[in-house]
Amino acid sequence: MKLPRVALRQCSRQLRPQNNWPLQPCLQSAKSTSIPASSSTPWRPSRTYATTPPSPATTTTTTVSAADLEFGQPVYETHPHMLQPGELTPGITAQEYHERRSKLAFALPENGIAILASSELKYRSGAVFFPFRQDSNFLYLTGFSEPDSLAIIQKTGPKPGDYVFHLFCRPKDPRAEQWSGPWSGLQAAEDVFNADFTGDIARVESLLPPILRGASTIYTDITPSTPVTGQLVTTLLAHLRLPPSPLAGLVHSLRAIKSPAEISNMRHAGRVSGRALTSAMKRSWSSEKDLESYLNYAFTSHGLSGPAYVPVVAGGPRGNMIHYVHNSRLLKQDEMVLVDAGGEYGTYITDITRTWPVNGKFSAAQRDLYEAVLTVQRQMVSLCREDASLSLDQIHRATEAGLREQLVLLGFDVSGGKMDVLFPHHVGHYVGLDVHDTPGYSRGLTLRQGHAVTIEPGVYVPVDDERFPQHFRGLAVRIEDSVVVDVDSPLILTTEAVKEVVDIEALRD
């Protein structure tokens, strides 16, 4: 069984020379990188780098602290205000990333190999690009958030931890980085991200074949259209007569059950996002755009990396459009506003929807419809526990029955296919690294401890549909919380976003 390769702040290791990195590491002992029991200044591990590759004839080098270097993403030495010792990304340690790779390798057949490609930098127009967002499966297994990268997890034995991790990426290039900003390079891929072997992504055509020869099965979702490596990998697999098997299902089965660290990240995102929504409810807004701008600011100014998705801010009947994101109209004081928004922390997100009256006080019809949806939402959240032995699909069917019952009490005719108009979407989805997390992971599976889901019943009454009571026409109500399943109770991540009628109205008193 191999020694888990974790960041240098957690264990020491002997490095192989890397001629393509201009700064050669000089490691301290494991004892020297231990965390002091107490200190008046922030602790930083003793990771240092030589200014030049050491000559074989000498062992003396001049070193610089890793805190004085630039990497392609925050690391503890450069960003102690964002990361704790041992973390590769906010809240997630190098040890946890190793354990994820170990679990995936353990699930592979003998001599199986998993290959993952990074995302590409996407352009908005011309030379204007969007902020880079790593492929979720790639990030989940590596913590490495740079484009032009290829990760390979190679099973080497029957025990957990029997695997080799290859990471091909861009070598350091000072001239290119002057224009594009820093990236981590090959030595950091090994020292920081714990790759067993690294290589220049530009040389992958010669580096990859020796790894793949002798593989029993290749698991990958790379296609010929995958940027950077797609054509090369698919051509090589065809040449080696190794037809690939889909990888996403294996990774999603791991991602679907959240670790305590992941839940902590999502709870933080939910706490900040919920408080931002509650704060927004206290104010009077004249336009959808102003409300959206406030929420985006509130997320980032209180420790989140920003909005997790393009929000829905829909005034009045625009709330009937499930994914209305124009957010460009004025808000009327006698209408309600439906807001579907959440922030992101450490690439983990929380999904929340709240509906409230623009003027702070519900009309009779608004209150009745809102209370009907809230009654059902509370009931469905309470079912998000392992001992209920229910799936999201079963909770959806219970939601539809509950809404039907509530609407009949309000005088609705729900016969025929009318419920498909009033409640046209599923009650929930998985949530985590993505808003709609682990796509393809069945909602028919029984919920287990660690599953994270949304519960979001809604009723949307068309403006001009005479089949429904006139005083409810044009009203739209959706109430959504993000919930983690526990054994005998749900953990609601978004409780700071108030949703009781008395609490919403009290915010303006």
Side-chain angles (χ1 to χ4, degrees), residues 93-296:
T93 64
Q95 180 67 35
E96 180 159 332
Y97 281 109
H98 155 72
E99 291 168 355
R100 294 172 179 180
R101 293 191 294 270
S102 181
K103 288 178 182 178
L104 176 62
F106 188 70
L108 298 177
E110 183 178 358
N111 297 322
I113 289 179
I115 309 176
L116 301 98
S118 67
S119 292
E120 65 174 327
L121 186 65
K122 294 180 172 61
Y123 285 82
R124 179 175 178 175
S125 64
V128 179
F129 49 84
F130 289 104
F132 177 73
R133 170 55 157 86
Q134 185 61 280
D135 173 81
S136 293
N137 287 343
F138 191 101
L139 182 67
Y140 179 80
L141 292 167
T142 68
F144 191 67
S145 188
E146 296 186 33
D148 300 334
S149 306
L150 194 71
I152 300 166
I153 298 168
Q154 181 180 13
K155 183 168 186 169
T156 58
K159 300 177 182 178
D162 286 347
Y163 76 91
V164 172
F165 173 35
H166 305 259
L167 183 56
F168 300 129
C169 57
R170 301 168 296 183
K172 296 294 286 183
D173 184 341
R175 292 194 66 181
E177 293 174 63
Q178 182 181 8
W179 289 94
S180 302
W183 54 67
S184 297
L186 305 187
Q187 193 68 57
E190 183 177 342
D191 296 341
V192 179
F193 298 94
N194 301 291
D196 297 294
F197 300 98
T198 64
D200 184 348
I201 188 68
R203 298 182 56 234
V204 72
E205 185 172 5
S206 62
L207 295 171
L208 190 56
I211 300 171
L212 300 185
R213 291 193 182 100
S216 62
T217 311
I218 302 295
Y219 289 85
T220 187
D221 299 312
I222 293 174
T223 67
S225 61
T226 301
V228 184
T229 58
Q231 192 66 53
L232 169 65
V233 171
T234 53
T235 300
L236 180 58
L237 294 181
H239 177 72
L240 295 175
R241 297 182 180 178
L242 289 169
S245 299
L247 175 61
L250 290 176
V251 182
H252 290 170
S253 66
L254 300 177
R255 283 176 52 191
I257 302 297
K258 302 301 186 285
S259 71
E262 292 178 291
I263 294 170
S264 179
N265 277 3
M266 294 174 68
R267 180 69 185 99
H268 180 63
R271 182 182 298 112
V272 174
S273 300
R275 290 173 181 174
L277 279 162
T278 296
S279 178
M281 293 182 206
K282 295 178 180 179
R283 307 184 181 203
S284 179
W285 301 98
S286 60
S287 74
E288 296 168 346
K289 184 59 65 178
D290 285 348
L291 177 48
E292 176 188 359
S293 298
Y294 173 79
L295 290 172
N296 290 343

Side-chain angles (χ1 to χ4, degrees), residues 319-354:
N320 283 292
M321 294 177 272
I322 310 302
H323 287 156
Y324 169 85
V325 293
H326 292 292
N327 305 343
S328 57
R329 298 285 293 272
L330 297 178
L331 294 170
K332 297 180 180 179
Q333 289 298 304
D334 62 345
E335 294 179 334
M336 292 192 293
V337 59
L338 186 156
V339 176
D340 187 338
E344 178 180 85
Y345 177 72
T347 325
Y348 286 88
I349 69 96
T350 307
D351 197 356
I352 313 175
T353 304
R354 292 292 185 264

Side-chain angles (χ1 to χ4, degrees), residues 450-470:
H451 276 134
V453 300
T454 65
I455 297 296
E456 48 181 308
V459 172
Y460 313 89
V461 188
V463 173
D464 54 359
D465 196 326
E466 296 182 357
R467 295 177 296 172
F468 305 118
Q470 184 173 1

Side-chain angles (χ1 to χ4, degrees), residues 59-76:
T59 58
T60 302
T61 58
T62 302
T63 63
V64 294
S65 169
D68 297 324
L69 301 177
E70 294 289 348
F71 298 87
Q73 66 190 78
V75 300
Y76 172 70

Side-chain angles (χ1 to χ4, degrees), residues 295-313:
L295 290 172
N296 290 343
Y297 169 77
F299 295 156
T300 55
S301 64
H302 290 87
L304 303 187
S305 56
Y309 50 91
V310 179
V312 173
V313 183

